[in-house]
Amino acid sequence: MGEKAFVTPAVLKWSRETARMTVEQAAGKASVSAQQVVDWESGHDRPTIRQARLLAEAYRRPFALFMLPAPPRDWTPLKDFRRRSAIPFTTATEFLIRDLRVKQTWASEWNREQGEAPVPFVGRFTLRHSPAKVAADILKELDIHPPNYANPLKEWLTKAELKGIYISRTSYLNSHLTLDSEEFQGFAIADPMAPLIFINTDDWDTAQLFTLVHELAHVWIGETGISNEVALNFKSLNNIDQVERFCNQVAGIALMPDGFVSVLPASTFTSLEEVLAQARRCGVSGFALLVRARN
């Protein structure tokens, strides 16, 4: 029997729960029974140092954290703008968000210490403004002129990063990491010192582009949060948060401006091939173009 670790039961339980792991999953990581994990978290027993280190590694928490007298203050959870039926966050998602928030916080503090000026467009608008006004400002700020580009997604990514927005995508972190787009499509941290956008690449390029511009809208209205209802709809659905509806409208207008859509000849919409051809120019799906034209 190895030497026992002086862990705090409440901290041990908090670490497991914030890693979105069940008692059974934690037990598997430490090669013990589920009842032993329950005993550790209730204070009826203590894990050995080796077992505690295995749990720390599994939860991605410092081993020394288990010795704190009480659970520490963690980051405030990202505001959840997802639809009510969204699947719960997985452990992979929790770890990814935690990792990116560490990096974003470091970048924000570094920029502040270096005397960098805040990014001027973060929180420039609110829901009281029109989506068209926000979309026009995004296009002006990023110097983008749809549909005049060869690679829409690449241009939007490049222009956003040049303006000081940190962009992260699943493929940037781990080419083998897969996050279900039904769980979430992206999130934004609207910090004026280091705004960050994450895009789930478990989606088509057209969906990724729409997600990117949707999350840019979150930054422009200063709304930090995570999304998975990113798409244009024929009508506003009651179960979609008003912020999500607003950001979807902004994205639709920014990617398919009035000046482009309104001059398309009526014959465009009598041919599927022509609809798809015009949609490709904007980097959107044929369905998105049809919805935008109808609206």
PDB file of all heavy atoms in Angstrom, residues 5-42:
ATOM      1  N   ALA A   5      -2.346  10.262   0.140  1.00  0.00           N
ATOM      2  CA  ALA A   5      -2.258  11.686  -0.187  1.00  0.00           C
ATOM      3  C   ALA A   5      -3.269  12.462   0.653  1.00  0.00           C
ATOM      4  O   ALA A   5      -4.408  12.021   0.845  1.00  0.00           O
ATOM      5  CB  ALA A   5      -2.546  11.897  -1.667  1.00  0.00           C
ATOM      6  N   PHE A   6      -2.857  13.609   1.166  1.00  0.00           N
ATOM      7  CA  PHE A   6      -3.745  14.416   2.011  1.00  0.00           C
ATOM      8  C   PHE A   6      -4.612  15.327   1.124  1.00  0.00           C
ATOM      9  O   PHE A   6      -4.432  16.536   1.076  1.00  0.00           O
ATOM     10  CB  PHE A   6      -2.925  15.233   3.020  1.00  0.00           C
ATOM     11  CG  PHE A   6      -2.339  14.393   4.110  1.00  0.00           C
ATOM     12  CD1 PHE A   6      -1.059  13.865   3.985  1.00  0.00           C
ATOM     13  CD2 PHE A   6      -3.073  14.089   5.257  1.00  0.00           C
ATOM     14  CE1 PHE A   6      -0.512  13.066   4.980  1.00  0.00           C
ATOM     15  CE2 PHE A   6      -2.532  13.292   6.256  1.00  0.00           C
ATOM     16  CZ  PHE A   6      -1.254  12.773   6.119  1.00  0.00           C
ATOM     17  N   VAL A   7      -5.532  14.696   0.417  1.00  0.00           N
ATOM     18  CA  VAL A   7      -6.405  15.439  -0.486  1.00  0.00           C
ATOM     19  C   VAL A   7      -7.637  15.938   0.259  1.00  0.00           C
ATOM     20  O   VAL A   7      -8.013  15.397   1.306  1.00  0.00           O
ATOM     21  CB  VAL A   7      -6.846  14.560  -1.675  1.00  0.00           C
ATOM     22  CG1 VAL A   7      -5.656  14.080  -2.468  1.00  0.00           C
ATOM     23  CG2 VAL A   7      -7.689  13.379  -1.198  1.00  0.00           C
ATOM     24  N   THR A   8      -8.259  16.977  -0.273  1.00  0.00           N
ATOM     25  CA  THR A   8      -9.512  17.491   0.273  1.00  0.00           C
ATOM     26  C   THR A   8     -10.663  16.876  -0.530  1.00  0.00           C
ATOM     27  O   THR A   8     -10.741  17.080  -1.754  1.00  0.00           O
ATOM     28  CB  THR A   8      -9.564  19.027   0.166  1.00  0.00           C
ATOM     29  OG1 THR A   8      -8.442  19.582   0.857  1.00  0.00           O
ATOM     30  CG2 THR A   8     -10.859  19.574   0.742  1.00  0.00           C
ATOM     31  N   PRO A   9     -11.531  16.104   0.119  1.00  0.00           N
ATOM     32  CA  PRO A   9     -12.597  15.413  -0.618  1.00  0.00           C
ATOM     33  C   PRO A   9     -13.415  16.317  -1.532  1.00  0.00           C
ATOM     34  O   PRO A   9     -13.711  15.953  -2.676  1.00  0.00           O
ATOM     35  CB  PRO A   9     -13.452  14.819   0.497  1.00  0.00           C
ATOM     36  CG  PRO A   9     -12.490  14.624   1.632  1.00  0.00           C
ATOM     37  CD  PRO A   9     -11.557  15.790   1.556  1.00  0.00           C
ATOM     38  N   ALA A  10     -13.793  17.488  -1.042  1.00  0.00           N
ATOM     39  CA  ALA A  10     -14.632  18.396  -1.845  1.00  0.00           C
ATOM     40  C   ALA A  10     -13.899  18.863  -3.103  1.00  0.00           C
ATOM     41  O   ALA A  10     -14.510  19.025  -4.168  1.00  0.00           O
ATOM     42  CB  ALA A  10     -15.052  19.600  -1.007  1.00  0.00           C
ATOM     43  N   VAL A  11     -12.594  19.076  -2.993  1.00  0.00           N
ATOM     44  CA  VAL A  11     -11.803  19.509  -4.142  1.00  0.00           C
ATOM     45  C   VAL A  11     -11.675  18.361  -5.143  1.00  0.00           C
ATOM     46  O   VAL A  11     -11.730  18.564  -6.363  1.00  0.00           O
ATOM     47  CB  VAL A  11     -10.410  20.001  -3.702  1.00  0.00           C
ATOM     48  CG1 VAL A  11      -9.547  20.348  -4.916  1.00  0.00           C
ATOM     49  CG2 VAL A  11     -10.546  21.199  -2.784  1.00  0.00           C
ATOM     50  N   LEU A  12     -11.531  17.155  -4.621  1.00  0.00           N
ATOM     51  CA  LEU A  12     -11.422  15.978  -5.479  1.00  0.00           C
ATOM     52  C   LEU A  12     -12.709  15.805  -6.296  1.00  0.00           C
ATOM     53  O   LEU A  12     -12.666  15.560  -7.509  1.00  0.00           O
ATOM     54  CB  LEU A  12     -11.177  14.741  -4.615  1.00  0.00           C
ATOM     55  CG  LEU A  12     -10.471  13.544  -5.255  1.00  0.00           C
ATOM     56  CD1 LEU A  12      -9.080  13.921  -5.713  1.00  0.00           C
ATOM     57  CD2 LEU A  12     -10.413  12.380  -4.271  1.00  0.00           C
ATOM     58  N   LYS A  13     -13.849  15.958  -5.636  1.00  0.00           N
ATOM     59  CA  LYS A  13     -15.134  15.819  -6.317  1.00  0.00           C
ATOM     60  C   LYS A  13     -15.343  16.942  -7.326  1.00  0.00           C
ATOM     61  O   LYS A  13     -15.782  16.713  -8.463  1.00  0.00           O
ATOM     62  CB  LYS A  13     -16.266  15.811  -5.287  1.00  0.00           C
ATOM     63  CG  LYS A  13     -17.641  15.577  -5.905  1.00  0.00           C
ATOM     64  CD  LYS A  13     -18.718  15.488  -4.833  1.00  0.00           C
ATOM     65  CE  LYS A  13     -20.085  15.206  -5.453  1.00  0.00           C
ATOM     66  NZ  LYS A  13     -21.139  15.092  -4.414  1.00  0.00           N
ATOM     67  N   TRP A  14     -15.011  18.158  -6.941  1.00  0.00           N
ATOM     68  CA  TRP A  14     -15.135  19.319  -7.838  1.00  0.00           C
ATOM     69  C   TRP A  14     -14.283  19.132  -9.092  1.00  0.00           C
ATOM     70  O   TRP A  14     -14.730  19.423 -10.203  1.00  0.00           O
ATOM     71  CB  TRP A  14     -14.715  20.569  -7.078  1.00  0.00           C
ATOM     72  CG  TRP A  14     -14.558  21.801  -7.922  1.00  0.00           C
ATOM     73  CD1 TRP A  14     -15.539  22.688  -8.282  1.00  0.00           C
ATOM     74  CD2 TRP A  14     -13.355  22.282  -8.518  1.00  0.00           C
ATOM     75  NE1 TRP A  14     -15.017  23.681  -9.067  1.00  0.00           N
ATOM     76  CE2 TRP A  14     -13.674  23.467  -9.225  1.00  0.00           C
ATOM     77  CE3 TRP A  14     -12.035  21.845  -8.514  1.00  0.00           C
ATOM     78  CZ2 TRP A  14     -12.718  24.218  -9.922  1.00  0.00           C
ATOM     79  CZ3 TRP A  14     -11.090  22.580  -9.209  1.00  0.00           C
ATOM     80  CH2 TRP A  14     -11.422  23.745  -9.901  1.00  0.00           C
ATOM     81  N   SER A  15     -13.080  18.608  -8.920  1.00  0.00           N
ATOM     82  CA  SER A  15     -12.181  18.399 -10.060  1.00  0.00           C
ATOM     83  C   SER A  15     -12.757  17.395 -11.043  1.00  0.00           C
ATOM     84  O   SER A  15     -12.661  17.561 -12.260  1.00  0.00           O
ATOM     85  CB  SER A  15     -10.813  17.917  -9.569  1.00  0.00           C
ATOM     86  OG  SER A  15     -10.208  18.874  -8.728  1.00  0.00           O
ATOM     87  N   ARG A  16     -13.359  16.338 -10.507  1.00  0.00           N
ATOM     88  CA  ARG A  16     -13.967  15.328 -11.390  1.00  0.00           C
ATOM     89  C   ARG A  16     -15.170  15.918 -12.115  1.00  0.00           C
ATOM     90  O   ARG A  16     -15.320  15.742 -13.338  1.00  0.00           O
ATOM     91  CB  ARG A  16     -14.388  14.095 -10.591  1.00  0.00           C
ATOM     92  CG  ARG A  16     -15.153  13.061 -11.444  1.00  0.00           C
ATOM     93  CD  ARG A  16     -15.577  11.850 -10.650  1.00  0.00           C
ATOM     94  NE  ARG A  16     -16.463  12.167  -9.540  1.00  0.00           N
ATOM     95  CZ  ARG A  16     -17.767  12.446  -9.682  1.00  0.00           C
ATOM     96  NH1 ARG A  16     -18.333  12.464 -10.881  1.00  0.00           N
ATOM     97  NH2 ARG A  16     -18.509  12.715  -8.615  1.00  0.00           N
ATOM     98  N   GLU A  17     -16.030  16.592 -11.390  1.00  0.00           N
ATOM     99  CA  GLU A  17     -17.254  17.116 -11.989  1.00  0.00           C
ATOM    100  C   GLU A  17     -16.968  18.187 -13.038  1.00  0.00           C
ATOM    101  O   GLU A  17     -17.645  18.250 -14.070  1.00  0.00           O
ATOM    102  CB  GLU A  17     -18.178  17.671 -10.902  1.00  0.00           C
ATOM    103  CG  GLU A  17     -18.754  16.573 -10.009  1.00  0.00           C
ATOM    104  CD  GLU A  17     -19.621  17.115  -8.895  1.00  0.00           C
ATOM    105  OE1 GLU A  17     -19.497  18.317  -8.570  1.00  0.00           O
ATOM    106  OE2 GLU A  17     -20.423  16.328  -8.339  1.00  0.00           O
ATOM    107  N   THR A  18     -15.960  19.036 -12.806  1.00  0.00           N
ATOM    108  CA  THR A  18     -15.631  20.061 -13.801  1.00  0.00           C
ATOM    109  C   THR A  18     -14.896  19.476 -14.998  1.00  0.00           C
ATOM    110  O   THR A  18     -14.743  20.147 -16.024  1.00  0.00           O
ATOM    111  CB  THR A  18     -14.767  21.176 -13.179  1.00  0.00           C
ATOM    112  OG1 THR A  18     -13.602  20.608 -12.563  1.00  0.00           O
ATOM    113  CG2 THR A  18     -15.557  21.967 -12.150  1.00  0.00           C
ATOM    114  N   ALA A  19     -14.451  18.228 -14.887  1.00  0.00           N
ATOM    115  CA  ALA A  19     -13.877  17.525 -16.036  1.00  0.00           C
ATOM    116  C   ALA A  19     -14.946  16.730 -16.778  1.00  0.00           C
ATOM    117  O   ALA A  19     -14.636  16.035 -17.745  1.00  0.00           O
ATOM    118  CB  ALA A  19     -12.760  16.591 -15.585  1.00  0.00           C
ATOM    119  N   ARG A  20     -16.200  16.821 -16.319  1.00  0.00           N
ATOM    120  CA  ARG A  20     -17.332  16.120 -16.929  1.00  0.00           C
ATOM    121  C   ARG A  20     -17.100  14.611 -16.972  1.00  0.00           C
ATOM    122  O   ARG A  20     -17.396  13.943 -17.966  1.00  0.00           O
ATOM    123  CB  ARG A  20     -17.583  16.639 -18.346  1.00  0.00           C
ATOM    124  CG  ARG A  20     -17.860  18.123 -18.425  1.00  0.00           C
ATOM    125  CD  ARG A  20     -19.288  18.456 -18.097  1.00  0.00           C
ATOM    126  NE  ARG A  20     -19.500  19.911 -18.094  1.00  0.00           N
ATOM    127  CZ  ARG A  20     -20.680  20.504 -18.045  1.00  0.00           C
ATOM    128  NH1 ARG A  20     -21.768  19.762 -17.975  1.00  0.00           N
ATOM    129  NH2 ARG A  20     -20.787  21.808 -18.033  1.00  0.00           N
ATOM    130  N   MET A  21     -16.558  14.079 -15.883  1.00  0.00           N
ATOM    131  CA  MET A  21     -16.326  12.641 -15.802  1.00  0.00           C
ATOM    132  C   MET A  21     -17.256  12.025 -14.770  1.00  0.00           C
ATOM    133  O   MET A  21     -17.528  12.623 -13.719  1.00  0.00           O
ATOM    134  CB  MET A  21     -14.874  12.351 -15.403  1.00  0.00           C
ATOM    135  CG  MET A  21     -13.868  12.569 -16.498  1.00  0.00           C
ATOM    136  SD  MET A  21     -12.243  11.905 -16.025  1.00  0.00           S
ATOM    137  CE  MET A  21     -11.265  12.463 -17.417  1.00  0.00           C
ATOM    138  N   THR A  22     -17.720  10.828 -15.058  1.00  0.00           N
ATOM    139  CA  THR A  22     -18.519  10.088 -14.093  1.00  0.00           C
ATOM    140  C   THR A  22     -17.591   9.422 -13.079  1.00  0.00           C
ATOM    141  O   THR A  22     -16.369   9.344 -13.281  1.00  0.00           O
ATOM    142  CB  THR A  22     -19.351   9.006 -14.790  1.00  0.00           C
ATOM    143  OG1 THR A  22     -18.450   8.046 -15.382  1.00  0.00           O
ATOM    144  CG2 THR A  22     -20.237   9.609 -15.869  1.00  0.00           C
ATOM    145  N   VAL A  23     -18.174   8.935 -11.995  1.00  0.00           N
ATOM    146  CA  VAL A  23     -17.391   8.204 -10.994  1.00  0.00           C
ATOM    147  C   VAL A  23     -16.740   6.986 -11.640  1.00  0.00           C
ATOM    148  O   VAL A  23     -15.564   6.675 -11.371  1.00  0.00           O
ATOM    149  CB  VAL A  23     -18.300   7.776  -9.824  1.00  0.00           C
ATOM    150  CG1 VAL A  23     -17.570   6.787  -8.912  1.00  0.00           C
ATOM    151  CG2 VAL A  23     -18.759   8.983  -9.027  1.00  0.00           C
ATOM    152  N   GLU A  24     -17.471   6.330 -12.519  1.00  0.00           N
ATOM    153  CA  GLU A  24     -16.946   5.133 -13.180  1.00  0.00           C
ATOM    154  C   GLU A  24     -15.758   5.477 -14.080  1.00  0.00           C
ATOM    155  O   GLU A  24     -14.774   4.735 -14.128  1.00  0.00           O
ATOM    156  CB  GLU A  24     -18.045   4.462 -14.005  1.00  0.00           C
ATOM    157  CG  GLU A  24     -19.141   3.791 -13.187  1.00  0.00           C
ATOM    158  CD  GLU A  24     -20.101   4.783 -12.546  1.00  0.00           C
ATOM    159  OE1 GLU A  24     -20.140   5.963 -13.006  1.00  0.00           O
ATOM    160  OE2 GLU A  24     -20.798   4.399 -11.582  1.00  0.00           O
ATOM    161  N   GLN A  25     -15.845   6.584 -14.797  1.00  0.00           N
ATOM    162  CA  GLN A  25     -14.742   6.992 -15.662  1.00  0.00           C
ATOM    163  C   GLN A  25     -13.501   7.334 -14.843  1.00  0.00           C
ATOM    164  O   GLN A  25     -12.382   6.968 -15.201  1.00  0.00           O
ATOM    165  CB  GLN A  25     -15.156   8.191 -16.514  1.00  0.00           C
ATOM    166  CG  GLN A  25     -16.168   7.855 -17.604  1.00  0.00           C
ATOM    167  CD  GLN A  25     -16.706   9.091 -18.297  1.00  0.00           C
ATOM    168  OE1 GLN A  25     -16.914  10.135 -17.673  1.00  0.00           O
ATOM    169  NE2 GLN A  25     -16.948   8.980 -19.586  1.00  0.00           N
ATOM    170  N   ALA A  26     -13.702   8.037 -13.740  1.00  0.00           N
ATOM    171  CA  ALA A  26     -12.573   8.384 -12.874  1.00  0.00           C
ATOM    172  C   ALA A  26     -11.940   7.127 -12.286  1.00  0.00           C
ATOM    173  O   ALA A  26     -10.709   7.023 -12.198  1.00  0.00           O
ATOM    174  CB  ALA A  26     -13.045   9.313 -11.757  1.00  0.00           C
ATOM    175  N   ALA A  27     -12.772   6.176 -11.918  1.00  0.00           N
ATOM    176  CA  ALA A  27     -12.255   4.934 -11.363  1.00  0.00           C
ATOM    177  C   ALA A  27     -11.377   4.212 -12.375  1.00  0.00           C
ATOM    178  O   ALA A  27     -10.332   3.651 -12.039  1.00  0.00           O
ATOM    179  CB  ALA A  27     -13.418   4.043 -10.933  1.00  0.00           C
ATOM    180  N   GLY A  28     -11.791   4.237 -13.637  1.00  0.00           N
ATOM    181  CA  GLY A  28     -10.999   3.604 -14.684  1.00  0.00           C
ATOM    182  C   GLY A  28      -9.645   4.264 -14.850  1.00  0.00           C
ATOM    183  O   GLY A  28      -8.640   3.580 -15.104  1.00  0.00           O
ATOM    184  N   LYS A  29      -9.586   5.567 -14.705  1.00  0.00           N
ATOM    185  CA  LYS A  29      -8.323   6.291 -14.845  1.00  0.00           C
ATOM    186  C   LYS A  29      -7.337   5.923 -13.736  1.00  0.00           C
ATOM    187  O   LYS A  29      -6.124   5.905 -13.952  1.00  0.00           O
ATOM    188  CB  LYS A  29      -8.576   7.807 -14.811  1.00  0.00           C
ATOM    189  CG  LYS A  29      -9.441   8.324 -15.941  1.00  0.00           C
ATOM    190  CD  LYS A  29      -8.759   8.208 -17.283  1.00  0.00           C
ATOM    191  CE  LYS A  29      -9.606   8.826 -18.389  1.00  0.00           C
ATOM    192  NZ  LYS A  29      -8.964   8.717 -19.730  1.00  0.00           N
ATOM    193  N   ALA A  30      -7.873   5.647 -12.530  1.00  0.00           N
ATOM    194  CA  ALA A  30      -7.018   5.329 -11.391  1.00  0.00           C
ATOM    195  C   ALA A  30      -6.915   3.829 -11.141  1.00  0.00           C
ATOM    196  O   ALA A  30      -6.269   3.400 -10.174  1.00  0.00           O
ATOM    197  CB  ALA A  30      -7.535   6.015 -10.129  1.00  0.00           C
ATOM    198  N   SER A  31      -7.553   3.026 -12.001  1.00  0.00           N
ATOM    199  CA  SER A  31      -7.547   1.564 -11.874  1.00  0.00           C
ATOM    200  C   SER A  31      -8.051   1.101 -10.511  1.00  0.00           C
ATOM    201  O   SER A  31      -7.439   0.257  -9.836  1.00  0.00           O
ATOM    202  CB  SER A  31      -6.134   1.012 -12.123  1.00  0.00           C
ATOM    203  OG  SER A  31      -5.693   1.341 -13.422  1.00  0.00           O
ATOM    204  N   VAL A  32      -9.180   1.686 -10.091  1.00  0.00           N
ATOM    205  CA  VAL A  32      -9.802   1.299  -8.823  1.00  0.00           C
ATOM    206  C   VAL A  32     -11.296   1.106  -9.075  1.00  0.00           C
ATOM    207  O   VAL A  32     -11.789   1.318 -10.178  1.00  0.00           O
ATOM    208  CB  VAL A  32      -9.593   2.376  -7.736  1.00  0.00           C
ATOM    209  CG1 VAL A  32      -8.105   2.542  -7.420  1.00  0.00           C
ATOM    210  CG2 VAL A  32     -10.210   3.707  -8.160  1.00  0.00           C
ATOM    211  N   SER A  33     -12.015   0.724  -8.038  1.00  0.00           N
ATOM    212  CA  SER A  33     -13.461   0.559  -8.173  1.00  0.00           C
ATOM    213  C   SER A  33     -14.156   1.910  -8.040  1.00  0.00           C
ATOM    214  O   SER A  33     -13.608   2.859  -7.459  1.00  0.00           O
ATOM    215  CB  SER A  33     -13.990  -0.394  -7.100  1.00  0.00           C
ATOM    216  OG  SER A  33     -13.886   0.202  -5.814  1.00  0.00           O
ATOM    217  N   ALA A  34     -15.377   1.981  -8.555  1.00  0.00           N
ATOM    218  CA  ALA A  34     -16.155   3.214  -8.434  1.00  0.00           C
ATOM    219  C   ALA A  34     -16.413   3.543  -6.965  1.00  0.00           C
ATOM    220  O   ALA A  34     -16.430   4.716  -6.569  1.00  0.00           O
ATOM    221  CB  ALA A  34     -17.473   3.071  -9.192  1.00  0.00           C
ATOM    222  N   GLN A  35     -16.601   2.512  -6.133  1.00  0.00           N
ATOM    223  CA  GLN A  35     -16.859   2.744  -4.717  1.00  0.00           C
ATOM    224  C   GLN A  35     -15.676   3.418  -4.040  1.00  0.00           C
ATOM    225  O   GLN A  35     -15.850   4.258  -3.151  1.00  0.00           O
ATOM    226  CB  GLN A  35     -17.175   1.422  -4.013  1.00  0.00           C
ATOM    227  CG  GLN A  35     -17.571   1.584  -2.541  1.00  0.00           C
ATOM    228  CD  GLN A  35     -18.776   2.486  -2.355  1.00  0.00           C
ATOM    229  OE1 GLN A  35     -19.792   2.325  -3.016  1.00  0.00           O
ATOM    230  NE2 GLN A  35     -18.650   3.470  -1.458  1.00  0.00           N
ATOM    231  N   GLN A  36     -14.446   3.093  -4.480  1.00  0.00           N
ATOM    232  CA  GLN A  36     -13.276   3.730  -3.893  1.00  0.00           C
ATOM    233  C   GLN A  36     -13.260   5.223  -4.197  1.00  0.00           C
ATOM    234  O   GLN A  36     -12.927   6.035  -3.336  1.00  0.00           O
ATOM    235  CB  GLN A  36     -11.993   3.067  -4.414  1.00  0.00           C
ATOM    236  CG  GLN A  36     -11.683   1.737  -3.742  1.00  0.00           C
ATOM    237  CD  GLN A  36     -10.370   1.148  -4.233  1.00  0.00           C
ATOM    238  OE1 GLN A  36     -10.327   0.534  -5.295  1.00  0.00           O
ATOM    239  NE2 GLN A  36      -9.318   1.341  -3.468  1.00  0.00           N
ATOM    240  N   VAL A  37     -13.649   5.582  -5.411  1.00  0.00           N
ATOM    241  CA  VAL A  37     -13.703   7.002  -5.759  1.00  0.00           C
ATOM    242  C   VAL A  37     -14.754   7.701  -4.895  1.00  0.00           C
ATOM    243  O   VAL A  37     -14.525   8.810  -4.393  1.00  0.00           O
ATOM    244  CB  VAL A  37     -14.021   7.190  -7.259  1.00  0.00           C
ATOM    245  CG1 VAL A  37     -14.223   8.672  -7.595  1.00  0.00           C
ATOM    246  CG2 VAL A  37     -12.911   6.606  -8.116  1.00  0.00           C
ATOM    247  N   VAL A  38     -15.901   7.065  -4.706  1.00  0.00           N
ATOM    248  CA  VAL A  38     -16.946   7.627  -3.858  1.00  0.00           C
ATOM    249  C   VAL A  38     -16.419   7.817  -2.435  1.00  0.00           C
ATOM    250  O   VAL A  38     -16.673   8.848  -1.792  1.00  0.00           O
ATOM    251  CB  VAL A  38     -18.193   6.712  -3.845  1.00  0.00           C
ATOM    252  CG1 VAL A  38     -19.199   7.178  -2.792  1.00  0.00           C
ATOM    253  CG2 VAL A  38     -18.836   6.685  -5.225  1.00  0.00           C
ATOM    254  N   ASP A  39     -15.677   6.831  -1.929  1.00  0.00           N
ATOM    255  CA  ASP A  39     -15.116   6.931  -0.577  1.00  0.00           C
ATOM    256  C   ASP A  39     -14.120   8.079  -0.476  1.00  0.00           C
ATOM    257  O   ASP A  39     -14.078   8.798   0.536  1.00  0.00           O
ATOM    258  CB  ASP A  39     -14.441   5.616  -0.187  1.00  0.00           C
ATOM    259  CG  ASP A  39     -15.437   4.495   0.052  1.00  0.00           C
ATOM    260  OD1 ASP A  39     -16.632   4.799   0.238  1.00  0.00           O
ATOM    261  OD2 ASP A  39     -15.029   3.309   0.048  1.00  0.00           O
ATOM    262  N   TRP A  40     -13.302   8.278  -1.520  1.00  0.00           N
ATOM    263  CA  TRP A  40     -12.338   9.384  -1.511  1.00  0.00           C
ATOM    264  C   TRP A  40     -13.059  10.724  -1.489  1.00  0.00           C
ATOM    265  O   TRP A  40     -12.669  11.641  -0.777  1.00  0.00           O
ATOM    266  CB  TRP A  40     -11.434   9.321  -2.744  1.00  0.00           C
ATOM    267  CG  TRP A  40     -10.556   8.113  -2.803  1.00  0.00           C
ATOM    268  CD1 TRP A  40     -10.202   7.294  -1.783  1.00  0.00           C
ATOM    269  CD2 TRP A  40      -9.925   7.580  -3.983  1.00  0.00           C
ATOM    270  NE1 TRP A  40      -9.382   6.282  -2.222  1.00  0.00           N
ATOM    271  CE2 TRP A  40      -9.196   6.436  -3.569  1.00  0.00           C
ATOM    272  CE3 TRP A  40      -9.902   7.935  -5.324  1.00  0.00           C
ATOM    273  CZ2 TRP A  40      -8.452   5.665  -4.466  1.00  0.00           C
ATOM    274  CZ3 TRP A  40      -9.165   7.177  -6.219  1.00  0.00           C
ATOM    275  CH2 TRP A  40      -8.444   6.054  -5.794  1.00  0.00           C
ATOM    276  N   GLU A  41     -14.125  10.836  -2.295  1.00  0.00           N
ATOM    277  CA  GLU A  41     -14.830  12.113  -2.407  1.00  0.00           C
ATOM    278  C   GLU A  41     -15.710  12.407  -1.196  1.00  0.00           C
ATOM    279  O   GLU A  41     -16.108  13.550  -0.972  1.00  0.00           O
ATOM    280  CB  GLU A  41     -15.683  12.123  -3.680  1.00  0.00           C
ATOM    281  CG  GLU A  41     -14.847  12.116  -4.965  1.00  0.00           C
ATOM    282  CD  GLU A  41     -15.683  12.162  -6.227  1.00  0.00           C
ATOM    283  OE1 GLU A  41     -16.930  12.059  -6.122  1.00  0.00           O
ATOM    284  OE2 GLU A  41     -15.099  12.316  -7.316  1.00  0.00           O
ATOM    285  N   SER A  42     -16.007  11.387  -0.407  1.00  0.00           N
ATOM    286  CA  SER A  42     -16.818  11.587   0.797  1.00  0.00           C
ATOM    287  C   SER A  42     -15.963  11.696   2.050  1.00  0.00           C
ATOM    288  O   SER A  42     -16.479  11.962   3.144  1.00  0.00           O
ATOM    289  CB  SER A  42     -17.814  10.429   0.959  1.00  0.00           C
ATOM    290  OG  SER A  42     -17.129   9.194   1.112  1.00  0.00           O
TER     291      SER A  42
END
